[in-house]
């Protein structure tokens, strides 16, 4: 099973649709067998979702993510663990220990305070 984490400098990147890299963990028998950092092919949630599908990803750990992206991932049978932050390795270890704290409806903080112009997380970039 493969689990992807939005990645930037070892941390969970907070904007799914803008993610430039993913750390993909190959999990076997409840343990990380290997991991690697892969460059995303572009930006936008359609590109990111297709990238994850092509790499056989089963689950995604991320920060903020919009409704359209979550729907696309759900249609691809990719579980979403949003609203996460901190170290990618720490989050994957929490996932493996069934202790991952996540938000089932994460929103982009930048959208709510006018920090960028993605159009809002219910249909924008994230």
């Amino acid at each position: 099973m493969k689990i992807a984490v939005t990645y930037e400098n070892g941390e969970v990147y907070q904007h799914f649709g803008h993610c430039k890299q993913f750390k993909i963990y190959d999990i076997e028998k409840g343990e990380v067998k290997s991991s690697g950092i892969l460059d995303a092919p572009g930006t936008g949630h359609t590109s990111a979702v297709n990238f994850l599908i092509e790499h056989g990803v089963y689950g995604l750990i991320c920060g903020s993510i919009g409704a359209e992206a979550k729907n696309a991932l759900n249609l691809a049978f990719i579980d979403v663990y949003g609203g996460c932050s901190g170290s990618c390795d720490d989050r994957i270890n929490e996932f493996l220990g069934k202790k991952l704290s996540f938000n089932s409806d994460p929103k982009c903080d930048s959208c709510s305070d006018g920090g960028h112009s993605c159009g809002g997380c219910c249909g924008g970039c994230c």
Side-chain angles (χ1 to χ4, degrees):
M1 161 176 63
K2 292 183 182 179
I3 304 293
V5 183
T6 53
Y7 181 89
E8 183 178 60
N9 298 321
E11 302 285 314
V12 177
Y13 186 69
Q14 291 302 301
H15 298 273
F16 176 73
H18 290 260
C19 186
K20 294 181 182 173
Q21 294 183 311
F22 290 91
K23 187 164 186 180
I24 298 181
Y25 297 84
D26 192 8
I27 311 294
E28 289 182 24
K29 298 181 183 177
E31 295 181 3
V32 175
K33 292 299 178 186
S34 63
S35 66
I37 299 164
L38 301 176
D39 291 334
T43 58
H45 74 265
T46 301
S47 175
V49 170
N50 288 335
F51 176 80
L52 296 177
I53 292 168
E54 290 169 8
H55 284 85
V57 168
Y58 168 82
L60 169 71
I61 297 171
C62 62
S64 62
I65 186 167
E68 290 181 28
K70 280 183 11 182
N71 289 339
L73 289 163
N74 287 333
L75 289 172
F77 301 102
I78 296 174
D79 293 332
V80 178
Y81 302 87
C84 297
S85 62
S87 163
C88 293
D89 292 343
D90 289 349
R91 296 302 75 82
I92 200 71
N93 287 328
E94 289 174 355
F95 172 82
L96 292 172
K98 300 185 189 315
K99 297 178 182 180
L100 179 64
S101 295
F102 69 96
N103 179 344
S104 62
D105 191 26
K107 300 288 188 232
C108 173
D109 291 337
S110 299
C111 298
S112 61
D113 69 10
H116 69 265
S117 59
C118 72
C121 281
C122 291
C125 65
C126 302

